[in-house]
Amino acid sequence: MSFEKLRELALSVRNWGRWGPDDEIGTLNYITPETIAAACRLATTGKVFPLGIPLGRKGPQSGNRARFNPIHTMFRDSGDAPKDEKGVIELQGYGGADDWIVMPLQCVTQWDSLAHVFYEGKMWNGYDISLVTSSGAAKNSIDKTKGKIVGRGVLLDVPRYKGVKRLDPGYAITPADLDGTAAAQKVEIKSGDLLIVRTGFMTTYLERADWSGYDSDSSPGVSVYTAPWMHKKQIAAVAADNYAVEVRPAEIPIFRSPFHACAIPNMGLTLGEIFYLEDLAADCAADGRYAFLLVAPPLPVTGGVGTPINPYAIK
Amino acid sequence: MSFEKLRELALSVRNWGRWGPDDEIGTLNYITPETIAAACRLATTGKVFPLGIPLGRKGPQSGNRARFNPIHTMFRDSGDAPKDEKGVIELQGYGGADDWIVMPLQCVTQWDSLAHVFYEGKMWNGYDISLVTSSGAAKNSIDKTKGKIVGRGVLLDVPRYKGVKRLDPGYAITPADLDGTAAAQKVEIKSGDLLIVRTGFMTTYLERADWSGYDSDSSPGVSVYTAPWMHKKQIAAVAADNYAVEVRPAEIPIFRSPFHACAIPNMGLTLGEIFYLEDLAADCAADGRYAFLLVAPPLPVTGGVGTPINPYAIK
Amino acid sequence: MSFEKLRELALSVRNWGRWGPDDEIGTLNYITPETIAAACRLATTGKVFPLGIPLGRKGPQSGNRARFNPIHTMFRDSGDAPKDEKGVIELQGYGGADDWIVMPLQCVTQWDSLAHVFYEGKMWNGYDISLVTSSGAAKNSIDKTKGKIVGRGVLLDVPRYKGVKRLDPGYAITPADLDGTAAAQKVEIKSGDLLIVRTGFMTTYLERADWSGYDSDSSPGVSVYTAPWMHKKQIAAVAADNYAVEVRPAEIPIFRSPFHACAIPNMGLTLGEIFYLEDLAADCAADGRYAFLLVAPPLPVTGGVGTPINPYAIK
Amino acid sequence: MSFEKLRELALSVRNWGRWGPDDEIGTLNYITPETIAAACRLATTGKVFPLGIPLGRKGPQSGNRARFNPIHTMFRDSGDAPKDEKGVIELQGYGGADDWIVMPLQCVTQWDSLAHVFYEGKMWNGYDISLVTSSGAAKNSIDKTKGKIVGRGVLLDVPRYKGVKRLDPGYAITPADLDGTAAAQKVEIKSGDLLIVRTGFMTTYLERADWSGYDSDSSPGVSVYTAPWMHKKQIAAVAADNYAVEVRPAEIPIFRSPFHACAIPNMGLTLGEIFYLEDLAADCAADGRYAFLLVAPPLPVTGGVGTPINPYAIK
């Protein structure tokens, strides 16, 4: 039953072959030089909103599903700096600091690549999942999107539309909610848009100054039934301020992430997670402009299935 | 002798206190909403040039100075995906891939933070270097620049100006070279610009398809004597396609990186390294437009002294 | 008050200079070829008890004090193996698996090096703590003990002596407890012994099959006032089945780990933590032999301040 | 031709099923309490020879086959220690150092697990290779050998037998060489022995104080044709002072590591690599005793396919 329900939805949004048999970036193809140029024209005041959360030891990961928070230390620090002229000569300078990081590519504000989620033994565009091994994803890896993730960003601030601080845990955002919010905000969704959905979920943890539970608590998020809506709207990518874009717990028994299953391997839709939206949302509410230039370059990790990002919304 | 020569230069460009005693971002303060909005107006065609090199096991680091190339593997891959319906139910889905990376923050295309280089026991703005320990930089860390690195990018393509494919190893680019190139390109350097200097150095390694030597070979780069020029021009940041922006070997005996010592701890100038410039440079030569919107968001690593980036030049 | 109390204890057990001004291994000097040969004679039946806990994602670290559980993945796995003869020829074989690990050196069963804990700006033997920088410990690092940690192991099973399954959380094991246990077990502590104290603390977590709380709960452990006893007995090293050898919470207000402060930087005593003792303890109770050959080689990490180990008790 | 030659050898030494269908440790089963007790009796003088090389940034790995040298830095160092009484109170002590390491499990002195090498889609004891995924080896992992790697060690010092400092690069040690060396050394190989073959190969790099080339140069090592000899002798494990135990280049065209292919997946023989043997070999030559107690505990890495070790030879 659940299997069939998911399959019906998945097939209804499937875009395999739409951009040729060799495509590896899916709906990012909706972005064109024209949409980018138009998006740049939205940036009239030079205000910049960085949407990435800090990369630090205190972060949203509790260790579930192998994900941990970034671990960062130094190769060289002030203790290694030369103490006198002799030391300066030996080290050829006054010293400095070098550092390094160990991190899951899915641990902070991020884009999922189209190799991140499988469906019935296949990935986006019908590639076999055996192409993803311990040495990386031979198809649909994040580096294929290297120069692609920039365009018109549109924020849909659903809780503000509904007059609440944040949506309730477990609330599934419907297509009607998205349409209603867009209408109230007087913004139209266009082909190639980078859609950003605010649920308010992150505010709970920001207020507490404690991320505990963020990755496992019940969460508002988009309904699996918004997949056809996004398909029809020709969204290029969708992001949110919760852990997984979609609602938790999920709406189709058995599946933890049915929206992912529709969006990533079938529609070829790039998902963005753990976006910090509070400053941007306040500014949009203040000036009534919910569309802007969004620039969110991935790190081109060879064979990677995700990337940490710090997207800039520029108005 | 060398100590005095460096000190004279360093003091001549020192900006300590210019933006108050608590400043941690230095010359990025030259960027304003107005310069950003003006930069966005340069992006008229929607062409995007990603300037980040791949993050992979074959990269520019040979292990010198503790830096290595990114190491990337999977937590989950296709081998871990469920084999049948029972497995799907247990795993609550059809599986997917998660991955992780270990990397120095200085190993690929990057911004240096203002805590990266020390001078006579101090960092940028006069902070004591003891603020940089194994647990991170308490001042001048890269996360302080979180929403700051976007503006007008200007490419100065020095080898093209000089009519050569690439500058010779060890060639020190002078202020006259920079002025000459700008004049030939009909572009004016303005306060708040993100200056990108092309040396052609990377082409040697790109042609070979082998990075060996990139981090240790003699290299063209800016002369230490361009520091006063950049100071006067009020450059916000400077980046290049070589390993260290500056020429190697350096021009002041003893010091390996005298330009760094002037720029980072004294001027407060953010440096960008290992930029991939070939496609951008070809396009600028073709259309004669050497100024563009540059968006290069840092990853906000708490206490970090650098960040990998994938800057977008948008024309 | 607390400062003075700790200082009095610390100075009473201080061994600085005892083995010369250049010593870096402290009480491990009590071990001699003779004590090793005698210990080997104790191994008469060939029974082996491995005392190391598993290195896996589910382990005793909750993230406190920067420590996490080992992270282990593959560079190559079965998905990368060749599929046919052509592939075998290309890869020069039928494939295989390579893996890697990221781990704190203090995250599982371990030895602390003598650079692990500081006291009033100094380390063991009076070395200044500035010798420990981000690039490692220039003195007292674990690699100095490379061939040293083997000898006569003696288990003191305190809960069994007291007739309880495990000591209560917060119970501080006294010198009288140690003497009483040794007498009841008919074993004599000798110079150069590797003393293993069983508290039973780990059994709580083993029974639950869940390490949660192991690193932060109140715990039985040795009293800070056992330091003089160990000093007098000329113990070479001491280990236990709890997180920190010593009792938690500690007995001297202010200090989290006063026994560490006495033992490591002052006495030069090597500490072993998170030892799995259940099988060994059961066997000792069964045959009444509480002394055995203990072989616990450190990994010789250059500049390291600890090492994961899998000690073998051989009877 | 090569395929058949390897298959003939492989099948001639195959031990699948010998210790039951569930076995995961292969020839380590030859070790018994009796052989261990007998080995302990060989340790009469208490001399200890640690056979592990340092774990540091300068090591034998050049980056070939994804292996790199250990990377080690600090979470806390002296720069993080409290500066005054107030700081001591805040930190609950005088500070200390914690560190961490990132390392391939095959990068230093090591044991390979029986999941390390595949043969025709299978592992040791006939397990399918699909049991080895990015999340680890479900069968034949190194943690299965947790309490098993201790016994009688026998050094066969082949270059000393042949009167040379070191064997020539590419020299394949034959069964006759092994027999000749044993006879000259007056030592008999017994069932359950941990055989250590000295080739002298490491001396080249030790003399240079530079590991460059150690992992890729031509190397002396055991011939693939010694596999039947080891099979017949019932060796429990074999180790050497070169990179791969076996000779390089290999003797069967096509295959890079034919001895591995016979030994690990077919015979179930544990291999040890990069053993430091110089001090031990000198001592054996001096006293004429080539048999000793060898204790080489693996780190019990859950699902691991190898482990770094620091074996102790005790005489």
Side-chain angles (χ1 to χ4, degrees), chain D residues 175-242:
Chain D
D177 289 334
L178 296 176
D179 282 328
T181 305
Q185 292 179 179
K186 299 188 190 358
V187 67
E188 189 192 351
I189 304 299
K190 300 180 185 175
S191 175
D193 277 354
L194 301 160
L195 177 64
I196 302 180
V197 178
R198 183 169 173 269
T199 69
F201 180 63
M202 193 185 283
T203 59
T204 300
Y205 307 89
L206 294 172
E207 286 168 10
R208 280 182 201 161
D210 182 354
W211 288 100
S212 305
Y214 178 83
D215 63 346
S216 53
D217 289 345
S218 286
S219 162
V222 302
S223 165
V224 66
Y225 302 107
T226 62
W229 185 94
M230 294 185 194
H231 184 240
K232 191 176 151 213
K233 295 285 188 187
Q234 302 194 329
I235 297 295
V238 61
D241 58 347
N242 59 5

Side-chain angles (χ1 to χ4, degrees), chain B residues 280-291:
Chain B
L280 175 64
D283 191 82
C284 292
D287 72 1
R289 297 171 59 218
Y290 284 86

Side-chain angles (χ1 to χ4, degrees), chain B residues 55-223:
Chain B
L55 281 74
R57 289 304 298 277
K58 303 290 182 191
Q61 307 298 336
S62 65
N64 284 342
R65 302 176 81 77
R67 294 176 193 162
F68 51 89
N69 294 309
I71 307 165
H72 166 250
T73 64
M74 297 280 162
F75 285 119
R76 293 189 297 157
D77 67 11
S78 60
D80 302 297
K83 309 292 182 241
D84 51 24
E85 282 209 356
K86 187 160 159 288
V88 172
I89 291 166
E90 270 173 31
L91 290 180
Q92 301 179 273
Y94 293 97
D98 264 45
D99 49 358
W100 60 311
I101 201 161
V102 175
M103 61 184 296
L105 295 179
Q106 289 78 26
C107 73
V108 289
T109 310
Q110 67 172 292
W111 293 121
D112 288 338
S113 96
L114 298 185
H116 177 52
V117 170
F118 306 151
Y119 182 73
E120 295 185 341
K122 300 293 176 187
M123 290 192 284
W124 159 246
N125 219 15
Y127 294 114
D128 199 84
I129 63 171
S130 63
L131 293 163
V132 185
T133 70
S134 65
S135 54
K139 290 285 176 186
N140 296 337
S141 55
I142 197 68
D143 50 319
K144 305 299 167 58
T145 70
K146 186 170 179 172
K148 296 292 176 187
I149 316 189
V150 47
R152 181 180 183 246
V154 174
L155 176 71
L156 292 185
D157 188 341
V158 185
R160 202 168 307 250
Y161 159 64
K162 289 186 166 281
V164 296
K165 185 168 188 179
R166 62 179 77 98
L167 301 177
D168 287 334
Y171 181 79
I173 296 170
T174 64
D177 289 334
L178 296 176
D179 282 327
T181 305
Q185 293 179 178
K186 299 188 187 1
V187 68
E188 189 191 351
I189 304 300
K190 301 181 185 173
S191 175
D193 277 355
L194 301 159
L195 178 63
I196 302 180
V197 179
R198 184 169 173 271
T199 68
F201 180 64
M202 193 185 284
T203 60
T204 301
Y205 307 88
L206 294 171
E207 287 168 9
R208 281 183 201 162
D210 182 353
W211 287 100
S212 305
Y214 179 83
D215 63 346
S216 54
D217 289 345
S218 286
S219 162
V222 302
S223 166

Side-chain angles (χ1 to χ4, degrees), chain A residues 57-58 63 66-68 71 74-77 79-80 83 102 130 133-136, chain C residues 57-58 63 66-68 71 74-77 79-80 83 102 130 133-136:
Chain A
R57 289 304 297 276
K58 303 290 183 193
R67 295 177 192 160
F68 52 88
I71 307 166
M74 296 280 163
F75 285 119
R76 292 191 297 158
D77 67 12
D80 302 297
K83 308 292 183 242
V102 176
S130 63
T133 70
S134 65
S135 54
Chain C
R57 288 304 297 277
K58 303 291 183 191
R67 294 177 193 162
F68 52 88
I71 306 165
M74 297 279 162
F75 285 119
R76 293 190 296 158
D77 67 12
D80 303 297
K83 308 293 183 243
V102 175
S130 63
T133 72
S134 65
S135 54

